[in-house]
Amino acid sequence: MKKGVLSILFVGILTICLTGCGAKSSKPSTDDVVADLNKLMSECTSQNDVSNCMMNDEFQTYLDTYSSYSLLNASDNEFTTKPQEPKSLFSYGASTGGMCGYNNILVYSEDGDSYYSVSMSCEKVDSVPKFEKATELK
């Protein structure tokens, strides 16, 4: 009788521990960030007018709605430091511009509470960007 109760208790505790460990979100690798952003851009363009997804503010809204990523800024230069304010957003002007007017974006990932500088390329200024390389900001 005691062995049965102890076995059930042990299995219950083990199940709770394994379930709790599996529920932790892990920090995405830089390769995952690039793949995720390219996949999200592809989904955005298939669900919306392509020109909407190419705009910083529209893609920012799409990411906030359908992913754990947030688009925080865009620049010609690579981002090298985390923003002063957590999750700070674009300054006016850059937020409404086309993504292909820039070479890099700053992305925040809720999974792992991480910031990434992501380089991108475009065939033309009015084309869909392709995300190429992500660097985690420390």
Side-chain angles (χ1 to χ4, degrees):
M1 177 74 177
K2 287 183 180 179
K3 286 184 180 180
V5 171
L6 287 176
S7 294
I8 291 172
L9 183 62
F10 177 75
V11 169
I13 291 173
L14 184 61
T15 302
I16 291 170
C17 289
L18 290 175
T19 303
C21 291
K24 291 181 183 177
S25 49
S26 60
K27 186 184 305 188
S29 72
T30 54
D31 290 338
D32 290 340
V33 171
V34 170
D36 290 346
L37 291 174
N38 281 317
K39 180 182 175 203
L40 287 160
M41 178 58 78
S42 177
E43 290 171 357
C44 181
T45 57
S46 69
Q47 295 172 9
N48 301 288
D49 183 57
V50 173
S51 62
N52 285 346
C53 300
M54 297 174 352
M55 303 304 288
N56 290 326
D57 55 345
E58 295 290 335
F59 192 57
Q60 180 182 46
T61 301
Y62 187 84
L63 289 178
D64 288 342
T65 305
Y66 297 105
S67 75
S68 63
Y69 293 100
S70 295
L71 176 59
L72 302 181
N73 210 334
S75 175
D76 287 330
N77 301 316
E78 183 177 357
F79 294 92
T80 56
T81 59
K82 292 180 183 180
Q84 294 292 334
E85 289 181 39
K87 298 187 190 179
S88 62
L89 300 177
F90 286 101
S91 59
Y92 182 76
S95 67
T96 57
M99 293 183 73
C100 287
Y102 304 94
N103 297 320
N104 297 278
I105 59 172
L106 175 63
V107 175
Y108 172 74
S109 171
E110 289 179 24
D111 297 339
D113 188 28
S114 306
Y115 293 87
Y116 298 89
S117 178
V118 182
S119 64
M120 59 186 180
S121 65
C122 300
E123 290 180 21
K124 299 182 287 183
V125 174
D126 60 348
S127 63
V128 176
K130 180 180 183 222
F131 304 103
E132 297 178 331
K133 179 184 170 201
T135 304
E136 183 180 357
L137 302 178
K138 305 275 181 185

